[in-house]
Amino acid sequence: SSPLMEQLNFFHDHTLLILIMITVLIAYIMFMLFFNKFTNRYLLHGQTIEIIWTILPAVILMFIAFPSLRLLYLMDEINSPLITLKAIGHQWYWSYEYSNFLNLEFDSYMIPTNELDTNGFRLLDVDNRIILPMNNQIRILVTATDVIHSWTVPSLGVKIDATPGRLNQTNFLINQPGLFFGQCSEICGANHSFMPIVIESIPMNYFIKWISSQMNSL
């Protein structure tokens, strides 16, 4: 649901294809070694084949390393964000602050199963969702107040540690409307499994209306 996650998926497929090629080649060589009858009692060394099987793995590793490094740098790049969101991890809930607006902040708790609507998502839905506009660069600042948490939304390709006393940042762009779920991905205590993250992505005109309604209610 974001350009970075698409690139991560492409990289996964690219690496898997290389792994399949290596596996098939090695399996074929092992099969031939098991079942052929050829022997050479006088073969002590083979300079040519040794050069090939030293250089070839290095070349294959380069085909994996260069796309990987490109992605690493892309994931660290901050591209003129439209909105800055601050996420603060607590035991065991998240609180959010919209830094571009005065006093727009709220806590986000998981909805207990016994209070959940019939169309709710068990152990994933929250009482206050993050509302963000689609097709815009979003910067997120992440920290914690007590222990290490990890703010993770897999479908957006975002995973960043929330560390007490430190402010980490990353960015993402959501390219479609919808609900995107995540959870804390760092074991942070007894209720680690019960502090989900929900992002609701909406078009910009609806986001402006939502911001206006929030500011009017303050």
Side-chain angles (χ1 to χ4, degrees), residues 38-201:
F38 302 122
T39 57
N40 187 339
R41 291 162 55 205
Y42 305 105
L43 182 63
L44 299 176
H45 61 83
Q47 294 291 343
T48 308
I49 190 66
E50 285 175 8
I51 289 170
I52 290 170
W53 74 39
T54 302
I55 291 175
L56 194 61
V59 172
I60 292 170
L61 282 174
M62 285 168 66
F63 274 101
I64 297 173
F66 286 134
S68 173
L69 287 169
R70 172 180 162 271
L71 262 178
L72 276 174
Y73 279 101
L74 277 174
M75 290 171 79
D76 267 347
E77 194 72 33
I78 303 294
N79 303 310
S80 304
L82 179 82
I83 289 174
T84 298
L85 176 72
K86 186 177 180 184
I88 305 164
H90 308 266
Q91 286 180 310
W92 288 272
Y93 65 96
W94 295 96
S95 58
Y96 299 100
E97 299 173 7
Y98 286 76
S99 305
N100 306 84
F101 308 97
L102 288 174
N103 301 321
L104 184 48
E105 54 190 58
F106 53 83
D107 296 333
S108 180
Y109 290 87
M110 185 191 80
I111 302 175
T113 306
N114 58 345
E115 297 176 15
L116 205 58
D117 294 333
T118 50
N119 61 347
F121 298 91
R122 180 177 169 272
L123 300 185
L124 282 177
D125 231 333
V126 295
D127 55 356
N128 291 309
R129 294 170 174 170
I130 308 162
I131 310 294
L132 290 173
M134 58 184 277
N135 291 325
N136 286 284
Q137 284 290 340
I138 311 295
R139 174 173 60 183
I140 179 153
L141 306 173
V142 184
T143 187
T145 57
D146 35 48
V147 297
I148 298 175
H149 302 274
S150 187
W151 198 87
T152 306
V153 183
S155 55
L156 301 179
V158 178
K159 183 178 191 294
I160 183 163
D161 281 353
T163 311
R166 289 181 66 88
L167 200 61
N168 292 328
Q169 75 169 354
T170 189
N171 83 120
F172 55 88
L173 182 145
I174 308 171
N175 57 17
Q176 59 188 22
L179 291 178
F180 306 100
F181 295 93
Q183 288 177 302
C184 176
S185 296
E186 188 73 53
I187 295 174
C188 57
N191 292 331
H192 157 68
S193 304
F194 308 112
M195 48 183 297
I197 299 153
V198 184
I199 296 177
E200 187 172 342
S201 169

